[in-house]
């Protein structure tokens, strides 16, 4: 581990000089140029208009709202709650400067008792592994898992042998108070109040931060037993929602590439490092979340290569992670491994070049989301498609980058055959505003043209789709020739071929399934306007529409306007029908207008 002595003054100065203050602060709050300075919302207090000024020439920042000011070191001390030396170490790491330390007076100086206890335990576990005989369970296990001693050393792997209190006894002997051992997450109490080790008979993975400080230990069972992996409990230092395994071991590669490969398991990280993917890290016993992404961005990471197991949990986790990437504005590339393999298994069959090829060809986060969503609903009903589409559009509209938002919307439009212009125009304002509903946002498939349809026939068909039991009001009064649009003509005659009861039993959502060949027409009828407002529906309105349609059909039949007599007869019939409808009783027989068609 690195020495913990004082950092020489000139080293501190070179760390500050090497830090791009604008880039550093931009990873916490967006900044825009303003004169020679940069301006943004203050990360230290809540504000709506920016009063936080960063001056790259002076190397400092100042908030005119809350009065905070300082240089790069002060910034990370305040925002990350780092001590001075921790802040310098953090910035040195970011800038790629290796600190040369003065002589340390005590190995755990300034790091508190818990930190000291974690360091002592790491050495204890490590020495157990190094000193173990070649026939010990740990050595046999390493051999079985094909883990070399060189790899074990690189990751400071350790061994917690069988037995209940071995670490506890060791720490007692070193004079570490029990409350410190407990605060470090290393011991637990049994039923009788006796203390025992959390980690027993396990291969130990120390989880270290970027500076190499141990935060806690995970353990893989060596023999039989549950759980297979034991993650550290939450402590003062170990916060599972923002910690990654492998950030210390991978920091040089990560800094150089400005990207990280995120995988699911501890052994996956180790195997990937062995195979040359030294930017591999893993989330520890939790799903990737926004805090994780913030931690990655603070390390200067701009792109994440997700490589998850080729099974259903892996796929589901990759989906969730893709959403997190989009919501937290980092570029993600998503690889789901083939054939149920995890990265460790992958290399039993394939090579590093194979993995590189997979990752290079992998879809990015939004492409992956879209492909998975489409795959999932493409054979399902309209409502499943609608709700998934709704989710995707909401997600896309929340993307801050206009370019990425437009790319995503463009691909959604292509996949679901929607009009991009409409999606984009609704997508220019990211998030915040109340979402317009899908019907308003969606431009309908343009494969079938309903433009020629009269408003009455469109309206009537919308009613029939929304209220299939209304078919009885139409039967005998209209036929397909009553419509002008050929698609609606076909659909109406298709409807009329069914018995009233048969048709009336269909829910609107079932229609596009039952009448698959007309699904495009049906989608337009269902999605345009507001046909499902049942308060808008009445038998009277349907009858009114039927009469209007009879009238215009008769007019077309005569290829000219009705004669005064015909018009009068029709108006009479119409008035009578309306009167009857008001009495909630259907007009009997066919109207005079209908007879014109004979
Ligand atoms: Zn402020």
């Amino acid at each position: 581990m690195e020495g913990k002595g004082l950092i020489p003054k000139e080293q501190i100065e070179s760390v500050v000089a090497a830090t791009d203050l604008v880039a550093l602060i931009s990873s916490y709050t967006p900044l825009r140029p303003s004169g020679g300075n940069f301006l943004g919302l203050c990360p230290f207090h809540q504000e709506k208009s920016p009063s936080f000024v960063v001056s790259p020439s002076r190397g400092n920042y100042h908030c005119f709202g809350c009065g905070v000011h300082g240089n790069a070191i002060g910034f990370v001390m305040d925002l990350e709650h780092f001590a001075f030396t921790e802040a310098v170490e953090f910035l040195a790491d970011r800038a790629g400067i290796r600190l040369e330390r003065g002589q340390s007076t005590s190995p755990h100086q300034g790091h508190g008792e818990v930190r000291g206890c974690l360091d002592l335990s790491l050495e204890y576990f490590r020495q157990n592994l190094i000193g173990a005989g070649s026939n010990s369970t740990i050595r046999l296990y390493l051999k079985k898992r094909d883990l070399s001693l060189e790899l074990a050393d690189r990751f400071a792997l350790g061994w917690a042998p069988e037995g209940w209190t071995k670490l506890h006894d060791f720490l007692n002997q070193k004079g570490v108070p029990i409350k410190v051992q407990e605060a470090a997450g290393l011991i637990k109490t049994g039923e009788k109040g006796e203390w025992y080790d959390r980690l027993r008979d396990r291969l130990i993975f120390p989880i270290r931060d970027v500076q190499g400080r141990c935060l806690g230990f995970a353990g893989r069972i060596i023999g039989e037993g549950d759980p297979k992996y034991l993650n550290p409990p939450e402590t003062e230092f170990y916060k599972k929602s923002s910690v990654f395994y492998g950030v210390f071991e991978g920091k040089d590669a990560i800094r150089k590439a400005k990207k990280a490969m995120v995988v699911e398991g501890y052994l996956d990280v180790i195997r990937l490092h062995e195979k040359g993917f030294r930017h591999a890290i893993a989330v520890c016993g939790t799903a990737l979340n926004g805090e994780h992404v913030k931690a990655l961005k603070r390390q200067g990471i701009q792109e994440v290569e997700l490589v998850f197991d080729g099974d259903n949990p892996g796929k589901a986790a990759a989906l969730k992670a893709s959403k997190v990437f989009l919501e937290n504005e980092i570029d993600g590339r998503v690889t789901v491994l083939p054939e149920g393999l995890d990265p460790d298994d992958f290399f039993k069959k394939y090579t590093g070049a194979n993995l590189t090829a997979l990752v290079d060809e992998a879809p990015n986060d939004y492409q992956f989301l879209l492909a998975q969503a489409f795959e999932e609903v493409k054979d399902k009903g309209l409502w499943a498609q609608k709700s998934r589409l709704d989710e995707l559009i909401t997600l896309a509209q929340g993307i801050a980058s206009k370019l990425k938002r437009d790319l995503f919307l463009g691909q959604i439009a292509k996949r679901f055959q929607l009009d991009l212009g409409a999606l984009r125009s609704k997508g220019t304002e990211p998030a915040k505003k109340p979402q317009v509903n899908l019907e308003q946002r969606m431009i309908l498939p343009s494969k079938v043209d309903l433009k020629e349809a009269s408003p009455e026939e469109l309206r009537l068909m919308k009613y029939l789709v929304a209220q299939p039991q209304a078919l009885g009001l139409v039967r005998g009064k209209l036929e397909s020739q009553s419509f002008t649009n050929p698609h609606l003509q076909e659909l109406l005659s298709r409807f009329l071929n069914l018995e009233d009861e048969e048709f009336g039993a269909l829910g609107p959502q079932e229609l596009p399934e039952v009448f698959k060949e007309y699904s495009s027409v049906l989608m337009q009828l269902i999605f345009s306007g507001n046909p499902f407002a049942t308060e808008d529906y009445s038998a009277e309105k349907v009858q009114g529409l039927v009469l209007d349609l009879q009238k215009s059909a008769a007019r077309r039949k005569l290829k000219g306007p009705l004669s005064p007599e015909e018009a009068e007869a029709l108006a009479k019939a119409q008035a009578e029908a309306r009167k009857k409808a008001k009495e909630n009783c259907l007009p009997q027989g066919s109207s005079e207008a209908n007879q014109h068609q004979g």
Side-chain angles (χ1 to χ4, degrees), residues 42 44-45 63 65-66 68:
C42 176
F44 297 100
H45 84 278
C63 175
C66 67
V68 293

Side-chain angles (χ1 to χ4, degrees), residues 21-31 75-76 79-80 90 94 293-301:
L21 187 65
V22 172
L24 170 72
I25 295 179
S26 293
S27 64
Y28 295 86
T29 185
L31 296 174
F75 183 81
V76 291
L79 214 60
E80 295 286 356
F90 176 86
R94 231 176 163 272
V293 174
K294 280 180 198 151
L296 292 175
K297 282 174 150 183
R298 286 198 293 272
Q299 274 194 65
I301 291 170

Side-chain angles (χ1 to χ4, degrees), residues 332-468:
R333 192 169 276 282
V334 185
T335 307
V336 174
L337 292 173
E339 304 153 40
L341 299 176
D342 65 26
D344 191 26
D345 304 325
F346 181 86
F347 289 112
K348 290 173 192 154
K349 286 186 151 187
Y350 303 100
T351 65
N354 293 144
L355 183 65
T356 302
L358 271 183
V359 171
D360 285 349
E361 285 160 22
N364 64 33
D365 40 23
Y366 64 83
Q367 288 168 333
F368 179 77
L369 271 169
L370 182 57
Q372 292 292 314
F374 189 75
E375 201 52 37
E376 197 182 305
V377 299
K378 70 172 200 267
D379 298 323
K380 289 196 179 160
L382 190 61
W383 299 107
Q385 294 194 13
K386 175 184 180 291
S387 90
R388 186 45 59 90
L389 183 57
D390 211 7
E391 276 173 34
L392 289 174
I393 293 173
T394 305
L395 199 61
Q397 287 177 334
I399 299 174
S401 149
K402 187 181 182 305
L403 176 68
K404 195 163 179 178
R405 188 166 69 237
D406 282 354
L407 285 171
F408 191 13
L409 287 170
Q411 300 217 350
I412 294 174
K414 206 171 147 199
R415 261 292 161 85
F416 284 85
Q417 295 180 311
L418 303 174
D419 184 276
L420 175 60
L423 290 184
R424 188 182 279 151
S425 70
K426 297 295 181 186
T428 45
E429 293 285 314
K432 312 226 166 30
K433 292 180 114 184
Q435 298 293 330
V436 284
N437 68 29
L438 182 68
E439 286 78 6
Q440 288 167 290
R441 269 189 260 127
M442 188 160 163
I443 287 293
L444 303 158
S446 51
K447 278 188 282 181
V448 170
D449 188 2
L450 294 184
K451 269 182 207 147
E452 295 302 309
S454 75
E456 290 79 19
E457 62 195 68
L458 263 178
R459 200 163 166 72
L460 180 67
M461 288 306 276
K462 281 187 197 175
Y463 274 136
L464 288 182
V465 164
Q467 306 281 343

Side-chain angles (χ1 to χ4, degrees), residues 40-47 51-52 62-69:
L41 294 175
C42 176
F44 297 100
H45 84 278
Q46 288 285 326
E47 62 176 0
S51 48
F52 186 79
H62 181 82
C63 175
F64 290 94
C66 67
V68 293
H69 60 269

Side-chain angles (χ1 to χ4, degrees), residues 305-356:
E305 295 166 345
L306 207 65
V307 177
F308 275 11
D309 301 355
D311 52 20
N312 284 334
K315 218 177 270 180
L319 267 181
K320 268 190 198 159
S322 302
K323 280 183 201 160
V324 171
F325 293 155
L326 285 177
E327 285 161 357
N328 292 277
E329 292 160 36
I330 196 164
D331 288 327
R333 192 169 276 282
V334 185
T335 307
V336 174
L337 292 173
E339 304 153 40
L341 299 176
D342 65 26
D344 191 26
D345 304 325
F346 181 86
F347 289 112
K348 290 173 192 154
K349 286 186 151 187
Y350 303 100
T351 65
N354 293 144
L355 183 65
T356 302

